[in-house]
Structure formats: structure tokens, C-alpha cells
Amino acid sequence: EVQLVESGGGLIQPGGSLRLSCAASEFTVRNNYMSWVRQAPGKGLQWVAFIYSGGATYYADSVKGRFTISRDFSMNTVFLQMNSLRADDTAVYFCAGPIEDSPPTFGALGYWGQGTLVTVSS
Amino acid sequence: SSELTQDPAVSVALGQTVRITCQGDSLRSYYASWFQQKPGQAPVLVFYGMNNRPSGIPDRFSGSNSGNTASLTVTGAQAEDEADYYCHSRASSGDHYVFGTGTKVTVL
């Protein structure tokens, strides 16, 4: 059974940094694209970042230059480094990967973690 | 524009049919995927591509696409279908993705 498990969330002051991790099992990070998606309290889903299997990365305008998505194949883990955090970055952060045999253009995120809460507040 | 617009809320009588729509320029180029989210839970993929339903998703969920509009139809809605539904698509620029604004479905 595929599992994605996020960790690293918590309470952080504005301007601070956090690194989120998404550990995958029964799912090979090397062979798949991965996304980070967030959801502010009581709000809708917001796409945050994406990394292709080949390594290319893309970011939402609201996080570009502050967040970095990366991966470690030996750990089968995807990361989201978040710098210069702001109050409006407060959200539950989900990592998600594609359902089998679906191209990136479909955005068919069939596997999701349980989410990790990031709270940016002084 | 990279926005995907959905009606904020719809209601459906138990056993009846409800259609949820998603509008945006990117849908002229890319298929939508659809997610169901219940309170406190991660989203669940319920439909994607031209005509694909993940394993385990009931066949009462179906999708369609026309021009700049994607639709998710639930035929014979059940109480457990009450949830928030989001469409999701690659943006027209090709280097972003976007979620729809979300539709809250209430089963009466």
C-alpha cells in the first residue's frame, strides 16, 4: 500500500524557516513527479510546488523565491524548504503523487499524505 | 488567466443527480482532475483525464469536458458524497498548476 507521510510542520515566527519532509513507501519518488499542496484554515486547496521526475521544478507565484522543492532518492523522500515565512503561509501542507500511468499534464494526484500543519505567528 | 472557477455550493436530494462545473481558460488545453475532500481528511482523487476513474471510486462519479468547462457528475448521490469538491488542472502557461475554488455539495 502506498503511503506518503509528511513531517516537519510546527509553529514558526514570521521570517523564519522550516523544512517539510514527505517520506514515501511503496512509491518510488525517483520515477514520479511530486507536488506540494496547501490548505489554509477554512480555505480551499492551493497548489504550491512541483518537481518532475527529471528534476525540473515549478512554483506558485506566491512562494517563488522563498520555497524550494527537492528530493533525496536514497531516502525516497521529497522536501519543501520554506524560507522567509509569512502569516499567510499558515496552512496544512500536503505532499501528493500521481496515480499510476498518468502523465503530468493530467494532474491526477492519486496519493496524498495526511498533511502537516505550519503555523506562522509571533 | 490561470483561475478555475466553481460554484461555491450546490445541494442534491438523496438519490438524485448533481453536476459540478469548473470553468477556466486552461481547460481548453488540459484535462481537469477532480478531488473529493471531507472535513479533516486529505483530498481523494475521484476522476481524471478524459474518462478515468481510480480504482475503488464508485461508477456514479463521471466527468466530461467541453471548451473551457469541465464537469463532474454524481448520478444517484449518496449521503457519503457530501463533501467539498475541487477541480485541478495544469495552467495555460504550462509551468503552473491550479485548483478550482471548490464546491460544497450537500446531500439532502
Side-chain angles (χ1 to χ4, degrees), chain B residues 3-11 17-24 27 32-35 62-74 84-88 99-105:
Chain B
E3 294 180 345
L4 294 177
T5 302
Q6 300 179 237
D7 291 330
V10 297
S11 60
T17 296
V18 61
R19 188 169 78 166
I20 306 161
T21 59
C22 171
Q23 288 191 302
L27 299 177
S33 53
W34 288 92
F35 299 89
S62 62
S64 62
N65 304 274
S66 178
N68 73 335
T69 301
S71 301
L72 178 73
T73 300
V74 186
D84 295 326
Y85 290 83
Y86 296 91
C87 57
H88 176 55
F99 281 93
T101 49
T103 299
K104 182 176 182 60
V105 172

Side-chain angles (χ1 to χ4, degrees), chain A residues 1-2 4 8 16 42 45 49-50 56 59 69 78 81 85 87-88 91 98 103 120:
Chain A
E1 179 190 357
V2 171
L4 302 176
L45 301 174
F50 175 101
Y59 300 92
I69 186 172
V78 179
Q81 177 68 42
L85 282 161
D88 63 358
V120 184

Side-chain angles (χ1 to χ4, degrees), chain A residues 7 34 36 67 81 85 89-90 108:
Chain A
S7 59
M34 298 293 291
W36 284 95
F67 289 13
Q81 177 68 42
L85 282 161
D89 294 318
T90 294

Side-chain angles (χ1 to χ4, degrees), chain A residues 33 35 37 39 43-47 50 52 58-61 64 94 99-102 104-110 112-115, chain B residues 30-33 35 37 40-45 48-50 52-55 84 86 88-90 94-101:
Chain A
Y33 70 87
S35 282
V37 176
Q39 187 168 36
K43 303 296 185 182
L45 301 174
Q46 181 187 23
W47 172 76
F50 175 101
Y52 272 107
Y58 301 101
Y59 300 92
D61 291 343
K64 188 177 284 187
F94 298 97
I99 198 167
E100 289 83 359
D101 300 323
S102 65
T105 51
F106 278 18
L109 301 171
W112 293 69
Q114 82 288 352
Chain B
Y30 298 106
Y31 289 114
S33 53
F35 299 89
Q37 188 181 34
Q41 298 183 18
V44 173
L45 179 68
Y48 67 99
M50 187 170 68
N52 303 95
R53 196 171 41 250
S55 173
D84 295 326
Y86 296 91
H88 176 55
S89 162
R90 194 164 186 169
D95 61 355
H96 280 60
Y97 285 79
V98 61
F99 281 93
T101 49

Side-chain angles (χ1 to χ4, degrees), chain A residues 16-120:
Chain A
S17 297
L18 275 179
R19 189 175 82 154
L20 306 183
S21 300
C22 170
S25 58
E26 302 301 321
F27 183 93
T28 305
V29 164
R30 178 193 299 272
N31 297 338
N32 289 281
Y33 70 87
M34 298 293 291
S35 282
W36 284 95
V37 176
R38 69 185 180 184
Q39 187 168 36
K43 303 296 185 182
L45 301 174
Q46 181 187 23
W47 172 76
V48 173
F50 175 101
I51 185 164
Y52 272 107
S53 57
T57 58
Y58 301 101
Y59 300 92
D61 291 343
S62 58
V63 307
K64 188 177 284 187
R66 300 188 299 124
F67 289 13
T68 302
I69 186 172
S70 63
R71 57 207 176 160
D72 184 317
F73 294 148
S74 67
M75 298 174 64
N76 205 32
T77 297
V78 179
F79 302 100
L80 186 68
Q81 177 68 42
M82 304 187 296
N83 299 330
S84 303
L85 282 161
R86 312 184 302 219
D88 63 358
D89 294 318
T90 294
V92 174
Y93 284 74
F94 298 97
C95 69
I99 198 167
E100 289 83 359
D101 300 323
S102 65
T105 51
F106 278 18
L109 301 171
Y111 300 108
W112 293 69
Q114 82 288 352
T116 186
L117 176 62
V118 172
T119 303
V120 184

